[in-house]
Amino acid sequence: MRLLGPRRDAPDEPDIAEDVAAADLDRAVRAQLRSLSKNNAEQVARHLVMVSRLLPDEPEQAYAHAMAAQRRAGRVAVVREVVGIAAYHAGLWSEALAELRAARRMSGSSHQLPLMADAERGLGRPERALELAASDESATLTRAEQVEMTIVVSGARRDLGQNDAAVLALQVPELQSAAVHPFTARLRYAYADALLAAGRQDEAVAWFAQAADADVDGETDADERLADLQGVEFTDLGADASDDDENAQDT
């Protein structure tokens, strides 16, 4: 008779906020959970909603929810993709690459190739990032995804000390376009940063200003970078008001 060792309990799942419902998840993503039992699909969906909610400010907690979803639905491509995205935002480059590669094998889609290339940069392999950018798969990306890849390429060039090439990589038609896209602020910001690294400060100031104008959601710190370059100091008005109140009480 084969003796079994002690049972290993699954890790505790992170708490899900009470106001989170499976219906909050994008319908197309929910459709990919249909292979799961109803109760399991609901829990996975709620964990994925938590990932979306926490990712901007608490990437480590978002990753914990993504891993909880993976333990429940590791054979679902979109779940593996979300784990990869969460790992990327948490700075877990190896995990991000592994999960995004798994998602690509399962789904046949390469749309997360820019994140994979940037994760290669995070691992100190800019040459590998450039190889991914030049791959046949990269040519199948949408235009928006190709712009994201140019941002990664510029960063890889800077990693290699090729600052002028980093500037040139970002001189795509969308940079000068009057149309504002979801990537516009980040594209302009990356261009400003590349200009600064190349010693072209006056041009960098102008492009940080343009990035700030396009960044209505505060996705970048373009405002702060611009102020720093212009020598502007911000005053904490709240702190000043508190000081004034204390002084008034002392008199």
Side-chain angles (χ1 to χ4, degrees), residues 71-135:
R71 287 191 289 271
R72 288 176 169 271
R75 295 184 179 180
V76 178
V78 70
V79 172
R80 302 297 291 271
E81 181 177 322
V82 170
V83 175
I85 293 170
Y88 171 85
H89 284 277
L92 303 171
W93 313 121
S94 293
E95 290 84 348
L97 272 174
E99 294 300 323
L100 292 174
R101 284 171 179 162
R104 182 179 59 176
R105 287 194 302 270
M106 296 165 74
S107 69
S109 173
S110 298
H111 70 280
Q112 294 295 351
L113 204 63
L115 278 193
M116 295 172 64
D118 209 31
E120 293 285 7
R121 287 187 60 219
L123 289 168
R125 302 192 297 234
E127 297 92 346
R128 178 57 183 152
L130 294 175
E131 289 174 10
L132 287 178
S135 68

Side-chain angles (χ1 to χ4, degrees), residues 134-156:
S135 68
D136 292 340
E137 292 173 315
S138 186
T140 69
L141 298 176
T142 67
R143 185 56 193 159
E145 291 160 357
Q146 289 176 355
V147 171
E148 298 287 357
M149 185 64 91
T150 64
I151 295 173
V152 176
V153 167
S154 178

